[in-house]
Short mmCIF file of all heavy atoms in Angstrom, two decimals:
data_model
loop_
_atom_site.label_atom_id
_atom_site.label_comp_id
_atom_site.label_asym_id
_atom_site.label_seq_id
_atom_site.Cartn_x
_atom_site.Cartn_y
_atom_site.Cartn_z
N ASP P 31 -5.79 -30.27 -8.42
CA ASP P 31 -4.39 -30.57 -8.04
C ASP P 31 -4.04 -29.87 -6.73
O ASP P 31 -3.41 -30.45 -5.84
CB ASP P 31 -3.40 -30.07 -9.12
CG ASP P 31 -3.55 -30.76 -10.46
OD1 ASP P 31 -4.03 -31.91 -10.49
OD2 ASP P 31 -3.18 -30.15 -11.49
N ILE P 32 -4.42 -28.60 -6.64
CA ILE P 32 -4.06 -27.81 -5.45
C ILE P 32 -4.78 -28.36 -4.21
O ILE P 32 -4.20 -28.50 -3.14
CB ILE P 32 -4.39 -26.31 -5.66
CG1 ILE P 32 -3.41 -25.74 -6.70
CG2 ILE P 32 -4.33 -25.52 -4.36
CD1 ILE P 32 -3.70 -24.32 -7.13
N GLU P 33 -6.05 -28.74 -4.40
CA GLU P 33 -6.81 -29.28 -3.26
C GLU P 33 -6.23 -30.62 -2.82
O GLU P 33 -6.15 -30.90 -1.60
CB GLU P 33 -8.30 -29.39 -3.63
CG GLU P 33 -8.93 -28.01 -3.73
CD GLU P 33 -10.42 -28.03 -4.04
OE1 GLU P 33 -10.93 -29.08 -4.50
OE2 GLU P 33 -11.07 -27.00 -3.84
N ALA P 34 -5.80 -31.44 -3.78
CA ALA P 34 -5.19 -32.74 -3.43
C ALA P 34 -3.89 -32.50 -2.65
O ALA P 34 -3.60 -33.19 -1.67
CB ALA P 34 -4.93 -33.56 -4.69
N MET P 35 -3.12 -31.50 -3.09
CA MET P 35 -1.88 -31.16 -2.40
C MET P 35 -2.19 -30.70 -0.96
O MET P 35 -1.49 -31.07 -0.01
CB MET P 35 -1.14 -30.06 -3.16
CG MET P 35 0.16 -29.64 -2.55
SD MET P 35 0.75 -28.09 -3.24
CE MET P 35 -0.46 -26.95 -2.57
N CYS P 36 -3.24 -29.88 -0.81
CA CYS P 36 -3.61 -29.39 0.54
C CYS P 36 -4.00 -30.56 1.44
O CYS P 36 -3.65 -30.60 2.62
CB CYS P 36 -4.77 -28.39 0.45
SG CYS P 36 -4.28 -26.80 -0.24
N LYS P 37 -4.75 -31.51 0.89
CA LYS P 37 -5.17 -32.69 1.68
C LYS P 37 -3.94 -33.49 2.12
O LYS P 37 -3.85 -33.93 3.27
CB LYS P 37 -6.07 -33.59 0.84
CG LYS P 37 -7.40 -32.95 0.50
CD LYS P 37 -8.45 -33.49 1.42
CE LYS P 37 -9.79 -32.88 1.05
NZ LYS P 37 -10.78 -33.01 2.06
N ALA P 38 -3.00 -33.70 1.16
CA ALA P 38 -1.80 -34.47 1.47
C ALA P 38 -0.97 -33.75 2.53
O ALA P 38 -0.46 -34.37 3.47
CB ALA P 38 -0.99 -34.70 0.20
N GLU P 39 -0.87 -32.45 2.38
CA GLU P 39 -0.12 -31.66 3.35
C GLU P 39 -0.80 -31.71 4.72
O GLU P 39 -0.14 -31.78 5.75
CB GLU P 39 0.01 -30.21 2.84
CG GLU P 39 0.92 -29.33 3.64
CD GLU P 39 2.39 -29.77 3.62
OE1 GLU P 39 2.74 -30.71 2.89
OE2 GLU P 39 3.17 -29.15 4.36
N GLY P 40 -2.12 -31.68 4.71
CA GLY P 40 -2.89 -31.80 5.95
C GLY P 40 -2.56 -33.10 6.67
O GLY P 40 -2.37 -33.12 7.88
N LYS P 41 -2.52 -34.18 5.92
CA LYS P 41 -2.19 -35.49 6.50
C LYS P 41 -0.82 -35.44 7.18
O LYS P 41 -0.64 -35.89 8.31
CB LYS P 41 -2.17 -36.55 5.40
CG LYS P 41 -3.24 -37.56 5.61
CD LYS P 41 -3.21 -38.69 4.62
CE LYS P 41 -4.62 -39.26 4.57
NZ LYS P 41 -4.93 -39.87 3.32
N ARG P 42 0.14 -34.87 6.43
CA ARG P 42 1.51 -34.80 6.94
C ARG P 42 1.56 -33.98 8.24
O ARG P 42 2.28 -34.31 9.18
CB ARG P 42 2.40 -34.16 5.87
CG ARG P 42 3.90 -34.26 6.16
CD ARG P 42 4.73 -33.60 5.08
NE ARG P 42 4.72 -32.15 5.14
CZ ARG P 42 5.43 -31.42 5.98
NH1 ARG P 42 6.21 -32.00 6.86
NH2 ARG P 42 5.36 -30.10 5.95
N LEU P 43 0.77 -32.90 8.28
CA LEU P 43 0.79 -31.98 9.42
C LEU P 43 -0.21 -32.37 10.51
O LEU P 43 -0.37 -31.66 11.50
CB LEU P 43 0.49 -30.56 8.94
CG LEU P 43 1.50 -29.93 7.99
CD1 LEU P 43 0.92 -28.69 7.31
CD2 LEU P 43 2.78 -29.58 8.73
N LYS P 44 -0.94 -33.48 10.28
CA LYS P 44 -1.98 -33.94 11.21
C LYS P 44 -3.09 -32.89 11.40
O LYS P 44 -3.57 -32.64 12.50
CB LYS P 44 -1.38 -34.35 12.56
CG LYS P 44 -0.38 -35.49 12.42
CD LYS P 44 0.09 -36.01 13.76
CE LYS P 44 0.96 -37.22 13.64
NZ LYS P 44 2.20 -37.01 12.84
N LEU P 45 -3.47 -32.28 10.28
CA LEU P 45 -4.60 -31.34 10.27
C LEU P 45 -5.73 -32.00 9.49
O LEU P 45 -5.46 -32.70 8.51
CB LEU P 45 -4.24 -30.04 9.54
CG LEU P 45 -3.15 -29.14 10.10
CD1 LEU P 45 -2.85 -28.03 9.10
CD2 LEU P 45 -3.58 -28.56 11.44
N SER P 46 -6.96 -31.72 9.88
CA SER P 46 -8.06 -32.16 9.04
C SER P 46 -8.38 -30.98 8.10
O SER P 46 -8.72 -29.88 8.53
CB SER P 46 -9.23 -32.57 9.93
OG SER P 46 -10.42 -32.01 9.50
N VAL P 47 -8.22 -31.21 6.79
CA VAL P 47 -8.33 -30.13 5.81
C VAL P 47 -9.58 -30.32 4.95
O VAL P 47 -9.80 -31.40 4.39
CB VAL P 47 -7.07 -30.09 4.91
CG1 VAL P 47 -7.27 -29.13 3.74
CG2 VAL P 47 -5.85 -29.69 5.71
N GLU P 48 -10.39 -29.27 4.89
CA GLU P 48 -11.59 -29.29 4.04
C GLU P 48 -11.48 -28.18 3.01
O GLU P 48 -11.20 -27.03 3.38
CB GLU P 48 -12.80 -29.05 4.96
CG GLU P 48 -14.13 -29.15 4.27
CD GLU P 48 -15.28 -28.83 5.23
OE1 GLU P 48 -15.08 -28.84 6.48
OE2 GLU P 48 -16.36 -28.52 4.73
N CYS P 49 -11.65 -28.50 1.73
CA CYS P 49 -11.48 -27.51 0.65
C CYS P 49 -12.81 -27.17 -0.01
O CYS P 49 -13.60 -28.07 -0.30
CB CYS P 49 -10.55 -28.08 -0.42
SG CYS P 49 -8.92 -28.55 0.18
N ARG P 50 -13.03 -25.88 -0.22
CA ARG P 50 -14.25 -25.45 -0.92
C ARG P 50 -13.93 -24.30 -1.86
O ARG P 50 -13.04 -23.48 -1.56
CB ARG P 50 -15.30 -24.94 0.06
CG ARG P 50 -15.77 -25.97 1.04
CD ARG P 50 -16.91 -25.38 1.84
NE ARG P 50 -17.14 -26.15 3.05
CZ ARG P 50 -17.82 -25.72 4.10
NH1 ARG P 50 -18.33 -24.50 4.09
NH2 ARG P 50 -18.00 -26.47 5.14
N GLN P 51 -14.67 -24.22 -2.96
CA GLN P 51 -14.52 -23.09 -3.91
C GLN P 51 -15.90 -22.60 -4.29
O GLN P 51 -16.84 -23.39 -4.45
CB GLN P 51 -13.77 -23.55 -5.17
CG GLN P 51 -13.42 -22.44 -6.16
CD GLN P 51 -14.54 -22.11 -7.15
OE1 GLN P 51 -15.38 -22.95 -7.46
NE2 GLN P 51 -14.58 -20.88 -7.64
N THR P 52 -16.02 -21.28 -4.44
CA THR P 52 -17.26 -20.71 -4.94
C THR P 52 -16.95 -19.46 -5.75
O THR P 52 -15.94 -18.79 -5.51
CB THR P 52 -18.23 -20.35 -3.80
OG1 THR P 52 -19.42 -19.76 -4.37
CG2 THR P 52 -17.62 -19.35 -2.83
N ASN P 53 -17.86 -19.15 -6.67
CA ASN P 53 -17.74 -17.90 -7.42
C ASN P 53 -18.54 -16.79 -6.75
O ASN P 53 -18.56 -15.66 -7.24
CB ASN P 53 -18.19 -18.12 -8.86
CG ASN P 53 -17.24 -19.03 -9.60
OD1 ASN P 53 -16.02 -18.92 -9.44
ND2 ASN P 53 -17.76 -19.96 -10.38
N ARG P 54 -19.23 -17.10 -5.63
CA ARG P 54 -20.15 -16.14 -5.03
C ARG P 54 -19.64 -15.56 -3.71
O ARG P 54 -19.28 -16.30 -2.78
CB ARG P 54 -21.51 -16.81 -4.81
CG ARG P 54 -22.21 -17.11 -6.15
CD ARG P 54 -23.62 -17.58 -5.95
NE ARG P 54 -23.65 -18.92 -5.40
CZ ARG P 54 -23.56 -20.03 -6.15
NH1 ARG P 54 -23.43 -19.95 -7.44
NH2 ARG P 54 -23.59 -21.21 -5.57
N GLU P 55 -19.66 -14.25 -3.65
CA GLU P 55 -19.17 -13.53 -2.46
C GLU P 55 -19.96 -13.92 -1.21
O GLU P 55 -19.38 -14.21 -0.16
CB GLU P 55 -19.28 -12.02 -2.72
CG GLU P 55 -18.77 -11.17 -1.58
CD GLU P 55 -18.87 -9.68 -1.89
OE1 GLU P 55 -19.58 -9.31 -2.85
OE2 GLU P 55 -18.25 -8.89 -1.17
N GLY P 56 -21.30 -13.93 -1.33
CA GLY P 56 -22.15 -14.23 -0.17
C GLY P 56 -21.91 -15.63 0.37
O GLY P 56 -22.02 -15.88 1.57
N GLU P 57 -21.60 -16.54 -0.54
CA GLU P 57 -21.34 -17.92 -0.10
C GLU P 57 -20.04 -17.97 0.72
O GLU P 57 -19.97 -18.67 1.74
CB GLU P 57 -21.26 -18.84 -1.32
CG GLU P 57 -21.32 -20.30 -0.94
CD GLU P 57 -21.81 -21.20 -2.07
OE1 GLU P 57 -21.50 -20.92 -3.24
OE2 GLU P 57 -22.51 -22.18 -1.76
N LEU P 58 -19.04 -17.22 0.28
CA LEU P 58 -17.80 -17.16 1.07
C LEU P 58 -18.10 -16.59 2.46
O LEU P 58 -17.63 -17.11 3.47
CB LEU P 58 -16.75 -16.30 0.36
CG LEU P 58 -15.99 -16.98 -0.79
CD1 LEU P 58 -15.17 -15.96 -1.57
CD2 LEU P 58 -15.09 -18.10 -0.30
N VAL P 59 -18.90 -15.53 2.51
CA VAL P 59 -19.27 -14.91 3.80
C VAL P 59 -19.98 -15.95 4.67
O VAL P 59 -19.67 -16.11 5.87
CB VAL P 59 -20.17 -13.67 3.58
CG1 VAL P 59 -20.79 -13.19 4.90
CG2 VAL P 59 -19.37 -12.55 2.92
N GLU P 60 -20.91 -16.72 4.08
CA GLU P 60 -21.66 -17.72 4.86
C GLU P 60 -20.75 -18.84 5.34
O GLU P 60 -20.90 -19.33 6.47
CB GLU P 60 -22.82 -18.27 4.02
CG GLU P 60 -23.96 -17.27 3.96
CD GLU P 60 -25.02 -17.58 2.92
OE1 GLU P 60 -24.96 -18.66 2.29
OE2 GLU P 60 -25.89 -16.72 2.72
N TRP P 61 -19.81 -19.26 4.51
CA TRP P 61 -18.89 -20.32 4.93
C TRP P 61 -18.00 -19.84 6.08
O TRP P 61 -17.71 -20.60 7.01
CB TRP P 61 -18.02 -20.77 3.76
CG TRP P 61 -18.76 -21.62 2.75
CD1 TRP P 61 -19.97 -22.23 2.92
CD2 TRP P 61 -18.33 -21.94 1.42
NE1 TRP P 61 -20.31 -22.91 1.77
CE2 TRP P 61 -19.33 -22.77 0.84
CE3 TRP P 61 -17.20 -21.63 0.66
CZ2 TRP P 61 -19.21 -23.27 -0.46
CZ3 TRP P 61 -17.09 -22.13 -0.62
CH2 TRP P 61 -18.09 -22.94 -1.18
N ILE P 62 -17.55 -18.59 6.00
CA ILE P 62 -16.70 -18.05 7.07
C ILE P 62 -17.53 -17.95 8.36
O ILE P 62 -17.08 -18.37 9.43
CB ILE P 62 -16.09 -16.70 6.66
CG1 ILE P 62 -15.12 -16.89 5.49
CG2 ILE P 62 -15.38 -16.03 7.85
CD1 ILE P 62 -14.79 -15.62 4.72
N GLN P 63 -18.75 -17.44 8.26
CA GLN P 63 -19.61 -17.36 9.45
C GLN P 63 -19.87 -18.75 10.03
O GLN P 63 -19.83 -18.95 11.25
CB GLN P 63 -20.96 -16.71 9.09
CG GLN P 63 -20.88 -15.24 8.81
CD GLN P 63 -22.26 -14.66 8.48
OE1 GLN P 63 -23.27 -15.36 8.56
NE2 GLN P 63 -22.28 -13.40 8.11
N GLY P 64 -20.11 -19.71 9.14
CA GLY P 64 -20.42 -21.08 9.57
C GLY P 64 -19.24 -21.77 10.23
O GLY P 64 -19.40 -22.77 10.92
N ALA P 65 -18.05 -21.23 10.00
CA ALA P 65 -16.84 -21.83 10.58
C ALA P 65 -16.72 -21.50 12.08
O ALA P 65 -15.98 -22.17 12.80
CB ALA P 65 -15.60 -21.31 9.84
N TYR P 66 -17.48 -20.51 12.53
CA TYR P 66 -17.37 -20.06 13.92
C TYR P 66 -17.66 -21.23 14.88
O TYR P 66 -18.68 -21.89 14.78
CB TYR P 66 -18.34 -18.91 14.20
CG TYR P 66 -18.24 -18.42 15.62
CD1 TYR P 66 -17.12 -17.70 16.04
CD2 TYR P 66 -19.23 -18.71 16.55
CE1 TYR P 66 -17.01 -17.26 17.35
CE2 TYR P 66 -19.13 -18.27 17.86
CZ TYR P 66 -18.01 -17.55 18.25
OH TYR P 66 -17.90 -17.13 19.55
N GLY P 67 -16.73 -21.47 15.78
CA GLY P 67 -16.91 -22.53 16.77
C GLY P 67 -16.62 -23.92 16.24
O GLY P 67 -16.70 -24.90 16.98
N LYS P 68 -16.36 -24.04 14.94
CA LYS P 68 -16.15 -25.38 14.35
C LYS P 68 -14.78 -25.54 13.72
O LYS P 68 -14.30 -26.66 13.53
CB LYS P 68 -17.19 -25.62 13.25
CG LYS P 68 -18.62 -25.62 13.73
CD LYS P 68 -19.55 -26.15 12.63
CE LYS P 68 -20.99 -25.99 13.03
NZ LYS P 68 -21.71 -25.03 12.20
N VAL P 69 -14.18 -24.43 13.32
CA VAL P 69 -12.96 -24.48 12.53
C VAL P 69 -11.85 -23.76 13.30
O VAL P 69 -12.08 -22.73 13.91
CB VAL P 69 -13.22 -23.83 11.14
CG1 VAL P 69 -11.95 -23.54 10.40
CG2 VAL P 69 -14.14 -24.71 10.31
N ASP P 70 -10.64 -24.33 13.25
CA ASP P 70 -9.52 -23.75 14.00
C ASP P 70 -8.70 -22.75 13.18
O ASP P 70 -8.01 -21.90 13.74
CB ASP P 70 -8.60 -24.87 14.48
CG ASP P 70 -9.36 -25.86 15.36
OD1 ASP P 70 -9.80 -25.45 16.44
OD2 ASP P 70 -9.55 -27.02 14.94
N GLY P 71 -8.72 -22.91 11.85
CA GLY P 71 -7.92 -22.02 11.01
C GLY P 71 -8.47 -21.99 9.60
O GLY P 71 -9.15 -22.93 9.17
N ILE P 72 -8.22 -20.89 8.91
CA ILE P 72 -8.71 -20.73 7.53
C ILE P 72 -7.54 -20.31 6.64
O ILE P 72 -6.74 -19.45 7.02
CB ILE P 72 -9.83 -19.65 7.46
CG1 ILE P 72 -11.06 -20.10 8.26
CG2 ILE P 72 -10.21 -19.35 6.00
CD1 ILE P 72 -12.17 -19.04 8.35
N VAL P 73 -7.46 -20.95 5.46
CA VAL P 73 -6.58 -20.48 4.38
C VAL P 73 -7.53 -19.99 3.30
O VAL P 73 -8.44 -20.72 2.89
CB VAL P 73 -5.70 -21.62 3.84
CG1 VAL P 73 -4.90 -21.15 2.62
CG2 VAL P 73 -4.76 -22.14 4.92
N ILE P 74 -7.37 -18.75 2.87
CA ILE P 74 -8.30 -18.22 1.87
C ILE P 74 -7.57 -17.51 0.74
O ILE P 74 -6.66 -16.72 0.99
CB ILE P 74 -9.36 -17.28 2.52
CG1 ILE P 74 -10.40 -16.86 1.48
CG2 ILE P 74 -8.72 -16.06 3.18
CD1 ILE P 74 -11.64 -16.18 2.08
N ASN P 75 -7.96 -17.87 -0.48
CA ASN P 75 -7.59 -17.05 -1.64
C ASN P 75 -8.90 -16.41 -2.11
O ASN P 75 -9.70 -17.04 -2.79
CB ASN P 75 -6.98 -17.91 -2.75
CG ASN P 75 -6.55 -17.06 -3.93
OD1 ASN P 75 -6.93 -15.90 -4.05
ND2 ASN P 75 -5.76 -17.63 -4.83
N PRO P 76 -9.13 -15.16 -1.71
CA PRO P 76 -10.40 -14.51 -2.05
C PRO P 76 -10.46 -14.07 -3.51
O PRO P 76 -11.46 -13.51 -3.95
CB PRO P 76 -10.45 -13.29 -1.11
CG PRO P 76 -9.27 -13.41 -0.19
CD PRO P 76 -8.28 -14.29 -0.86
N ALA P 77 -9.36 -14.30 -4.24
CA ALA P 77 -9.27 -13.97 -5.67
C ALA P 77 -9.73 -12.52 -5.91
O ALA P 77 -9.33 -11.63 -5.14
CB ALA P 77 -10.05 -15.00 -6.48
N GLY P 78 -10.56 -12.27 -6.90
CA GLY P 78 -10.95 -10.90 -7.25
C GLY P 78 -11.62 -10.16 -6.09
O GLY P 78 -11.53 -8.93 -5.99
N TYR P 79 -12.29 -10.91 -5.19
CA TYR P 79 -12.96 -10.26 -4.06
C TYR P 79 -11.98 -9.66 -3.04
O TYR P 79 -12.37 -8.84 -2.22
CB TYR P 79 -13.89 -11.23 -3.34
CG TYR P 79 -15.10 -11.65 -4.15
CD1 TYR P 79 -15.54 -12.97 -4.15
CD2 TYR P 79 -15.81 -10.73 -4.90
CE1 TYR P 79 -16.64 -13.36 -4.90
CE2 TYR P 79 -16.92 -11.11 -5.65
CZ TYR P 79 -17.33 -12.43 -5.65
OH TYR P 79 -18.42 -12.81 -6.39
N SER P 80 -10.71 -10.08 -3.13
CA SER P 80 -9.70 -9.49 -2.23
C SER P 80 -9.71 -7.97 -2.34
O SER P 80 -9.56 -7.26 -1.36
CB SER P 80 -8.29 -9.94 -2.63
OG SER P 80 -8.26 -11.30 -2.92
N HIS P 81 -9.89 -7.52 -3.58
CA HIS P 81 -9.71 -6.10 -3.88
C HIS P 81 -11.01 -5.30 -3.78
O HIS P 81 -11.00 -4.10 -4.02
CB HIS P 81 -9.12 -5.96 -5.29
CG HIS P 81 -8.06 -6.99 -5.59
ND1 HIS P 81 -6.90 -7.08 -4.85
CD2 HIS P 81 -8.00 -8.01 -6.50
CE1 HIS P 81 -6.16 -8.10 -5.31
NE2 HIS P 81 -6.82 -8.67 -6.31
N THR P 82 -12.10 -5.98 -3.44
CA THR P 82 -13.40 -5.29 -3.43
C THR P 82 -14.25 -5.55 -2.19
O THR P 82 -15.18 -4.80 -1.93
CB THR P 82 -14.27 -5.74 -4.64
OG1 THR P 82 -14.54 -7.14 -4.50
CG2 THR P 82 -13.57 -5.46 -5.96
N SER P 83 -13.97 -6.63 -1.45
CA SER P 83 -14.99 -7.11 -0.50
C SER P 83 -14.76 -6.72 0.96
O SER P 83 -14.00 -7.37 1.69
CB SER P 83 -15.13 -8.62 -0.61
OG SER P 83 -16.14 -9.06 0.29
#
Side-chain angles (χ1 to χ4, degrees):
D31 296 334
I32 291 174
E33 289 182 343
M35 180 195 69
C36 288
K37 293 259 182 197
E39 188 64 6
K41 244 184 204 153
R42 191 181 75 78
L43 296 165
K44 300 187 174 60
L45 295 173
S46 132
V47 171
E48 185 183 343
C49 302
R50 298 187 197 162
Q51 186 274 333
T52 179
N53 292 319
R54 292 188 288 276
E55 182 179 14
E57 194 156 35
L58 281 170
V59 169
E60 284 167 7
W61 286 345
I62 294 162
Q63 289 181 5
Y66 181 72
K68 297 192 187 114
V69 166
D70 301 295
I72 296 175
V73 174
I74 186 167
N75 182 345
Y79 292 138
S80 316
H81 319 300
T82 63
S83 182

